[in-house]
Amino acid sequence: MSTTTRVAEAEARAMLRALELAGLGVRGANPLVGAVLLAPDGTVLGEGHHRGAGTPHAEPAALADAGDRGHDPRGGTMVVTLEPCNHTGRTGPCSEALISAGVARVVFAADDVNGPAAGGAGRLRAAGVGCVGGVEAEASQHLNERWTASVAAGRPFVTVKSAQSLDGRVAAVDGTSQWITGPEARADGHRLRALADAVLVGSGTVRDDDPRLTARGGPAVDGTSAGARATLRVVMGLTPVPCEAAIRGPGFVHLTTRDVRAALDGLFARGVRHLLVEGGPRIAAAFLRAGVVDELVSYVAPVVLGDGAPAFPDLGIDSLAAAPRWGLDEAGGPAVHRLGADVRLHLRPPPG
C-alpha cells in the first residue's frame, strides 16, 4: 500500500471518529463539532470536541490534547466536522489557532453557514494551509440540522425543560411543585442553565415559585461540567414582575409579550443564541405550538399525582393519530439517563 493511500485511509477513519466525537457535545448556541489531529504519516496526535458555549472549540481542544500527549502539531492534518471558524466570540478564531500551531492541512466536512463565523477555509488557504472540504458533509449536516435551521431563521436555539410525575403532572392539585424531582435531577437542570445564554419562565411561575433562575455548574452525563456564567434571567408575560421578586437584579429581562416569535426576536437582538425555557406549563406549550422547540429535556419522577397541572396543556391535539412522536437524542450523552430516583429523557422533535 502506498503512503498516499495509507494517509487517505487514515483521514477517512479520522473523519468518522471526529463525527463520533461531535456527538458527545451539547446542542445549543454552537454546532456539534469534533476534530482529530493527524501526523503527516496518519498517526493520531490528538482529538477533541466542543463541549458547549464558552468552552474551547473542537480544533483547539484537539491541539491541547496533542500537547498533553507530548506531540508537536507542526506539519500535521486537522480533520474536523465543520469548517474552522474565522471570528472572535467567546473564544478566538480556530483558523488562527491552526495557523499559529503550524498545521499544514485541514480536512473538513461541512461548510460553516453561520455568517459571522464563516470564511475559515479562505483564511487558512491565504496562509498557505491546504484545505479540503465536503468530506462526510451530509453526516455533519445531519448532526446540526436543528442548529442550522435556527441560524437560518435568525432566532435562538430553543431547549424546553420539564420536570414531571409519571402521569405528566408538574404540580399537585394544591399547586405544590417543589420538589417533584430529586437533587440529582435538579443539579443537572442547573447544568443546563449554565450552558444557555438565557433562561425563560412565565410570569405565573414567578408568582407561584419566585425562582432565582441562577445557574450553577454541575456534572454532565459524560463527566464534564459547565461553570456558572452570565445567563440572562427572562420573564415572559404581561403581568408586572414584583419589585421584590428574587429573579430581579443584573441580567434580569422582562418581555412584556405573549407572542413567542416576538420574544425570540427580542432575545436574538440581545445576543441570545441558546434559550432554555423552564416554565411554566403554558409557556412551554406556547413554544411547542409555535413549532420552535429544537430539543426537549424531560425529568420524570417516580411519583403519580393523579391530577394537577399538566406539563404541556392546550396543544390543540385532538387524537392520538395527530400527536407528534418525538425521537430519542443521544447528543451529549445517553438519551435516557437515570439521575438518582429520576429519569432524564433527551428528545428531538418529530421529522418535518
Side-chain angles (χ1 to χ4, degrees), residues 1-11 40:
M1 182 185 298
S2 69
T3 301
T4 301
T5 301
R6 189 164 56 250
V7 170
E9 290 182 354
E11 290 180 357

Side-chain angles (χ1 to χ4, degrees), residues 3-293:
T3 301
T4 301
T5 301
R6 189 164 56 250
V7 170
E9 290 182 354
E11 290 180 357
R13 289 193 300 270
M15 182 60 79
L16 295 179
R17 173 59 178 160
L19 288 165
E20 181 182 345
L21 289 166
L24 299 176
V26 293
R27 301 194 192 278
N30 301 91
L32 299 174
V33 185
V36 176
L37 178 64
L38 300 176
D41 65 356
T43 303
V44 175
L45 301 179
E47 57 182 36
H49 68 279
H50 187 50
R51 297 172 184 266
T55 65
H57 287 190
E59 300 94 311
L63 290 170
D65 184 48
D68 291 342
R69 299 188 195 190
H71 297 314
D72 187 344
R74 287 178 293 183
T77 296
M78 184 66 75
V79 179
V80 61
T81 60
L82 188 69
E83 177 187 4
C85 72
N86 195 45
H87 79 131
T88 300
R90 293 189 181 98
T91 60
C94 291
S95 56
E96 298 298 335
L98 293 171
I99 293 167
S100 297
V103 169
R105 175 175 160 85
V106 173
V107 177
F108 64 91
D111 294 334
D112 194 335
V113 298
N114 184 14
R123 174 70 186 97
L124 289 163
R125 291 187 181 108
V129 178
C131 280
V132 176
V135 180
E136 296 288 349
E138 187 174 343
S140 176
Q141 289 163 351
H142 177 70
L143 270 177
N144 289 302
E145 59 189 358
R146 279 168 282 155
W147 176 83
T148 302
S150 68
V151 169
R155 64 163 177 82
F157 184 96
V158 177
T159 300
V160 167
K161 169 196 159 193
S162 70
Q164 61 199 65
S165 65
L166 283 173
D167 51 348
R169 305 293 176 177
V170 298
V173 174
D174 65 356
T176 55
S177 61
Q178 298 180 329
W179 300 101
I180 287 179
T181 55
E184 295 88 351
R186 296 199 297 274
D188 194 70
H190 276 281
R191 182 185 63 86
L192 289 182
R193 287 181 185 175
L195 290 168
D197 295 321
V199 184
L200 182 147
V201 298
S203 52
T205 295
V206 173
R207 178 195 63 228
D208 296 339
D209 297 335
D210 194 25
R212 293 184 181 276
L213 296 188
T214 51
R216 297 193 300 270
V221 174
D222 66 357
T224 63
S225 63
R229 62 190 183 88
T231 302
L232 291 179
R233 304 181 313 284
V234 182
V235 176
M236 178 178 168
L238 303 180
T239 304
V241 177
C243 295
E244 67 276 12
I247 198 172
R248 285 191 173 273
F252 163 70
V253 176
H254 185 193
L255 301 175
T256 53
T257 181
R258 292 176 179 165
D259 187 318
V260 168
R261 301 281 180 173
L264 289 176
D265 288 345
L267 291 172
F268 193 83
R270 289 176 178 266
V272 172
R273 298 298 178 264
H274 181 198
L275 173 66
L276 174 62
V277 179
E278 282 210 11
R282 289 187 179 84
I283 289 290
F287 276 80
L288 286 167
R289 286 196 305 271
V292 295
V293 178

